[in-house]
Amino acid sequence: ISQLEASLAQKEKRLAGLVDAWVAAGADRGSQWTWDLQRNKNKVFPGGFQPRARYDRLWATAACQVRSFALLGTDRMAEGCHPSDHFGIAAAVGITG
């Protein structure tokens, strides 16, 4: 088993029993990318490369009912930039049991 495979197996074990709040809330494509250089110009790569990634996540247990998921900080501030190169994330959850 490679070091990468061992690392992934360990990560999967730590995440067992948890759900990704974005997925649980319906995986809306409008809130998918938390680091999105197509929408957020705070960071610029040469050659026009504009990557997108979902680096930031909220994890919930099965006892949580994720009702909604949203990105925060997607509007530019008065200064013309976003608050961060990553968008914030928020979820509304209900606790069962």
Side-chain angles (χ1 to χ4, degrees):
I1 186 168
S2 73
Q3 185 175 3
L4 176 60
E5 290 170 325
S7 175
L8 291 173
Q10 187 173 7
K11 182 186 249 184
E12 287 177 14
K13 186 176 181 182
R14 283 194 316 261
L15 297 176
L18 298 178
V19 295
D20 183 328
W22 176 73
V23 173
D28 175 52
R29 296 282 183 205
S31 60
Q32 179 175 8
W33 311 114
T34 62
W35 190 69
D36 185 352
L37 285 123
Q38 293 178 21
R39 291 174 61 187
N40 185 329
K41 304 300 182 194
N42 283 4
K43 187 162 192 69
V44 177
F45 284 104
F49 180 56
Q50 297 177 317
R52 303 169 121 179
R54 200 163 65 87
Y55 290 128
D56 311 286
R57 297 168 191 250
L58 289 172
W59 297 99
T61 68
C64 297
Q65 292 178 324
V66 181
R67 297 185 178 131
S68 65
F69 181 93
L71 295 178
L72 307 173
T74 58
D75 293 328
R76 292 175 195 256
M77 300 182 304
E79 296 81 7
C81 60
H82 289 89
S84 173
D85 64 328
H86 288 246
F87 295 132
I89 51 179
V93 299
I95 307 297
T96 58

